[in-house]
Amino acid sequence: MMKKTIDLGGRELSLEIGKFAKQASGSAMVRYGDTMVLATVVASPEADDKKDYFPLQVEYREKISAAGKIPGGFLKREGRPSEKEVLTSRLIDRPIRPMFPENFRNETQIMVTVYSSDQENDGDVLGAMGASTALMISNIPFDGPIAEVRVGRNDGKFIVNPTFAQLATSDLDVIIAGTLTSIVMVEGEAKEISEADMLAALKFAQPFIKSLCDLQIQIRKEIGLPKMAVVQKPLKTDLIPVIEKHAAAGLREITHQVLKKEERSDRNGELIGSLLEALKTDAAFGAVAVKHSAVGESISPADFLVKHLKLVKEIVNDIEYREMREMILTEGKRLDGRGVKDVRPIACEVGLLPRTHGSALFQRGETQSLTTVTLGTKMDEQILDGLLPETTKRFMLHYNFPPFSVGEVGRLGFTGRREIGHGNLAERSLKNLLPAESDFPYTVRIVSDILESNGSSSMATVCAGSLSLMDAGVPLKKPVAGIAMGLVKEGNRVSILSDILGNEDFLGDMDFKVAGSADGISAFQMDIKIQGISFEIFERALEQAKAGRLHILGVMNQTLGAPKPNLSPYAPRLTTIKIPVEMIGAVIGPGGKVIRQIVKDTGAEINIEDDGTVVIASVTAEGSAAALAIINKIVEIPEVGKTYKGKVVRVMDFGAFVEFLPGKDGLVHISQLALGRIEKVTDAVNVGDAVDVKLVQKDDEGRYNLSIKVLLPGYDEATDPSKGISTRPPRRDGDRDRRGGGGGQRGGPRR
């Protein structure tokens, strides 16, 4: 067993190895504060030659018991991964994946589990550290180490791995992964920080990342296992010159043509078809087939081609990769004819879906997002179950990527990791520009459906989301736009691309997305396929992204540059009032009876907070006004001398009890029912009668005395000996018929 510790931001981080999960290829327990995360890695001993990709699976899971909780819901055990778990799995996967050898095809699984949570330190960055350490000491080939830290900023000072409490007041929340010398991944959000501040955050993180990498290298030297050999593909080496001879010139020609995505795909398909026919009769290809066939096996070139078709297409893709990159680096020309800094043509439209609360269509090149906004109430908030301190969420953005958007047939199932990741990035881009809940107490849901895609659909979602919010009348602080940047790097030759295409994403070295307003960055995400980039390249990409973002905002503002003044007529109207905390019970009523009746009578939705804040939601102004009037009456403090409309609720020999405010009764003495003398109370009123009454007295016991007589035509106060004041019979203890007192009786406030 081994335990290593390091000081990280004034707190101890420890790595414990050899105690847990000893049958895994590698394992490490990371502890920071009282948060403990176990990372394990296992790889199959044999490569899967049928796969033309690296079969890596990364799973991050949070045990609810880690925080001393029992899972909510019907099933009291952890089930499908939450969005937080999916997003963290991606945060671990993205910086680690480029560090494996290119030809490594052994199925590999990384599992990261939070076993203890101190509710101060998040387990996500610890999971990446643990996964890298486990890979370093295992027999799995890995060109690491990498390390991950979170950076926040309070009062202008950067903080490494801030606690949840510190993040609550931070204007920056960014996760940065890197190696000893460079950055490999960035993901985060900010409150409109500058490009210079973003770069400063990365530079602040690098020394901490380096120290964590140094620690892993030390551990590797002491207990690391010998690495397994990576199986090479001699067949590919022999095939490359043969396929080059038939395909290179054609691919170079297609690469230099300005084609739409579908047209380019068709041309590539035609070229591959011609290539396959040519190979069947090519003597050099026949020789390769004989060389790589089993001893004694007689196989025709055509059959050999069918058997290794995937490898042939892989080589064609490699040639296309080389030609596209060379064209960009030497000519500054891209597949669609643009220069490296040019943004594709943009078209925007808002309000095209009449019954949604807000809608927008954003088109950039061949990428199209149709986005809607729905406004809801407090009851529509998403309930969160996990280790984060937040338990509810009032802003949600959901991203959908149907297969028809890329002209394919696909099976519809659960929301994929990519959709969750893209939706989260777009959500982060917009959320810090939304109004505060106190100013706009709506729950907001955005849904982006990608109807057409050729790169940068998540940033199209940001643009469409901003437009649809303003179309819905949401008082967004500023419009927001996003742009995806790319990189082609060969040695010292570097080209940074603005607004990348799908092919440029696939064949390039970086996918760097930046979103924000005209005044600063609100969200960012960077993934690279090479082992790190320099700060100088990152700085250039940030400045080029800013220029592109401002250009896109300018086009968007021509369509809609500010929120519409009014909400959709189909959106709920929210009215917020504050009532005394001691009156909450009166509005709710016994078992919720009162509030349910208000909802039934008015059609409004009502939510009451513990501090007495009442939010009334109704699609109609009439329903909202009616509910507000009822609540105001319930919490109203009766005022002597004021006239009320009441209802007779009980008749006694000495008078009638009238409910003049919800939950508040008062006595109209028999002498106050009419101008003249009456023999019986029922000669003047009966139960259920609606009457106008005046509150003439509140006695020392909190009972209310009312009068009908003083409001009748012909009443003369000068000739009235009682002056509107009635004398009640004394109340006997336990006398429930005399309902004029407080203490839960009908004459005073009640809950």
Side-chain angles (χ1 to χ4, degrees), residues 32-43:
Y32 195 56
D34 281 343
T35 295
M36 298 177 67
V37 179
L38 177 66
T40 62
V41 296
V42 176

Side-chain angles (χ1 to χ4, degrees), residues 585-613:
V587 176
I588 295 174
K593 178 180 178 182
V594 174
I595 198 169
R596 285 199 304 270
Q597 190 63 44
I598 299 173
V599 171
K600 180 180 178 181
D601 293 343
T602 65
E605 184 180 301
I606 301 167
N607 183 75
I608 305 177
E609 301 290 339
D610 292 340
D611 65 352
T613 300

Side-chain angles (χ1 to χ4, degrees), residues 463-689:
C463 300
S466 175
L467 289 168
S468 60
L469 284 168
M470 294 191 294
D471 180 59
V474 177
L476 194 68
K477 296 174 185 176
K478 297 166 190 173
V480 182
I483 186 168
M485 309 296 294
L487 172 72
V488 176
K489 184 177 184 295
E490 294 288 348
N492 294 325
R493 296 190 298 164
V494 174
S495 185
I496 298 170
L497 313 178
S498 296
D499 183 28
I500 57 175
L501 300 169
N503 281 345
E504 291 170 338
D505 183 9
F506 179 71
L507 301 174
D509 298 321
M510 177 182 76
D511 180 12
F512 181 31
K513 302 181 179 76
V514 187
S517 70
D519 297 323
I521 298 171
S522 60
F524 30 81
Q525 182 185 88
M526 183 189 76
D527 295 311
I528 63 171
K529 300 171 188 174
I530 54 178
Q531 295 186 5
I533 61 172
S534 67
F535 288 116
E536 188 270 336
I537 293 175
F538 197 89
E539 184 175 13
R540 285 175 53 192
L542 279 171
E543 290 303 322
Q544 194 167 317
K546 180 180 180 181
R549 184 175 82 244
L550 294 178
H551 166 75
I552 297 165
L553 281 169
V555 178
M556 291 168 56
N557 289 341
Q558 293 175 13
T559 300
L560 185 62
K564 289 184 176 179
N566 299 312
L567 298 179
S568 162
Y570 304 107
R573 266 50 182 176
L574 299 189
T575 304
T576 303
I577 61 171
K578 193 92 169 202
I579 65 173
V581 174
E582 61 270 17
M583 297 303 298
I584 294 175
V587 176
I588 295 174
K593 178 180 178 182
V594 174
I595 198 169
R596 285 199 304 270
Q597 190 63 44
I598 299 173
V599 171
K600 180 180 178 181
D601 293 343
T602 65
E605 184 180 301
I606 301 167
N607 183 75
I608 305 177
E609 301 290 339
D610 292 340
D611 65 352
T613 300
V614 180
V615 180
I616 303 167
S618 176
V619 175
T620 65
E622 294 79 6
S624 180
L628 178 62
I630 295 172
I631 293 173
N632 280 335
K633 284 186 174 294
I634 293 173
V635 301
E636 182 179 346
I637 298 175
E639 183 180 340
V640 174
K642 188 172 180 179
T643 299
Y644 298 91
K645 292 186 177 297
K647 178 181 177 182
V648 178
V649 294
R650 196 177 189 93
V651 172
M652 308 295 292
D653 293 340
F654 52 83
F657 285 96
V658 174
E659 185 177 34
F660 65 99
L661 287 172
K664 297 182 178 68
D665 298 349
L667 172 66
V668 182
H669 191 265
I670 191 170
S671 64
Q672 299 298 315
L673 288 170
L675 292 176
R677 179 181 175 81
I678 58 174
E679 293 297 327
K680 296 187 300 182
V681 171
T682 53
D683 290 341
V685 295
N686 288 284
V687 172
D689 287 351

Side-chain angles (χ1 to χ4, degrees), residues 63-323:
K63 299 292 185 182
I64 304 300
S65 58
K69 300 178 182 179
I70 294 176
F74 182 75
L75 295 175
K76 296 300 180 182
R77 68 176 298 162
E78 291 81 4
R80 286 181 56 200
S82 65
E83 281 199 8
K84 160 70 174 173
E85 290 169 319
V86 170
L87 293 169
T88 303
S89 297
R90 285 167 54 86
L91 285 173
I92 298 170
D93 184 307
R94 284 156 42 203
I96 281 179
R97 188 176 290 269
M99 301 297 160
F100 289 90
E102 182 180 355
N103 294 322
F104 188 57
R105 294 292 183 268
N106 300 53
E107 188 171 2
T108 303
Q109 185 178 57
I110 300 173
M111 296 189 66
V112 179
T113 309
V114 180
Y115 281 104
S116 177
S117 172
D118 58 12
Q119 300 289 278
E120 291 184 0
N121 300 290
D122 204 330
D124 50 9
V125 294
L126 305 182
M129 174 69 178
S132 178
T133 304
L135 286 165
M136 288 291 289
I137 64 174
S138 73
N139 66 335
I140 302 170
F142 179 65
D143 297 331
I146 64 100
E148 232 173 61
V149 297
R150 173 180 268 106
V151 174
R153 187 174 69 170
N154 286 352
D155 300 324
K157 295 181 179 179
F158 290 118
I159 307 168
V160 64
N161 285 0
T163 64
F164 290 131
Q166 289 171 322
L167 278 177
T169 56
S170 175
D171 66 352
L172 174 69
D173 179 5
V174 56
I175 292 176
I176 304 166
T179 65
L180 286 168
T181 58
S182 60
I183 300 298
V184 296
M185 188 210 72
V186 180
E187 170 97 35
E189 63 185 71
K191 296 178 181 177
E192 296 182 282
I193 66 169
S194 68
E195 282 70 19
D197 287 344
M198 181 72 227
L199 188 63
L202 298 182
K203 291 181 177 179
F204 171 80
Q206 183 58 40
F208 297 103
I209 291 172
K210 182 180 182 303
S211 64
L212 293 172
C213 288
D214 284 335
L215 180 64
Q216 295 178 61
I217 292 172
Q218 179 185 346
I219 294 172
R220 163 73 187 165
K221 288 178 179 177
E222 294 183 25
I223 62 169
L225 297 174
K227 298 296 184 181
M228 67 174 71
V230 178
V231 178
Q232 301 298 325
K233 291 183 177 179
L235 172 59
K236 183 175 182 179
T237 303
D238 291 342
L239 280 177
I240 288 175
V242 180
I243 295 173
E244 281 265 6
K245 179 177 64 175
H246 293 284
L251 284 170
R252 189 176 301 115
E253 179 185 349
I254 294 172
T255 299
H256 281 74
Q257 292 179 346
V258 178
L259 302 170
K260 292 183 178 180
K261 179 182 176 182
E262 186 177 349
E263 293 172 340
R264 188 172 302 281
S265 177
D266 290 343
R267 289 293 305 276
N268 282 341
E270 292 170 3
L271 181 142
I272 290 175
S274 300
L275 169 67
L276 297 180
E277 291 302 316
L279 290 177
K280 291 177 184 177
T281 58
D282 188 289
F285 181 76
V288 172
V290 171
K291 177 181 177 181
H292 291 279
S293 297
V295 177
E297 181 184 12
S298 177
I299 185 170
S300 68
D303 290 339
F304 187 82
L305 189 60
V306 171
K307 184 177 180 181
H308 297 287
L309 183 60
K310 272 189 176 183
L311 182 57
V312 171
K313 290 183 177 180
E314 182 182 320
I315 295 171
V316 170
N317 286 335
D318 290 345
I319 299 171
E320 182 185 21
Y321 170 88
R322 182 192 69 206
E323 294 296 332

Side-chain angles (χ1 to χ4, degrees), residues 3-6 12-16 29-32 215:
K3 185 173 183 180
K4 297 284 187 179
T5 63
I6 189 173
E12 183 181 271
L13 182 144
S14 69
L15 283 167
E16 192 169 5
M29 178 71 83
V30 188
R31 178 169 181 166
Y32 195 56
L215 180 64

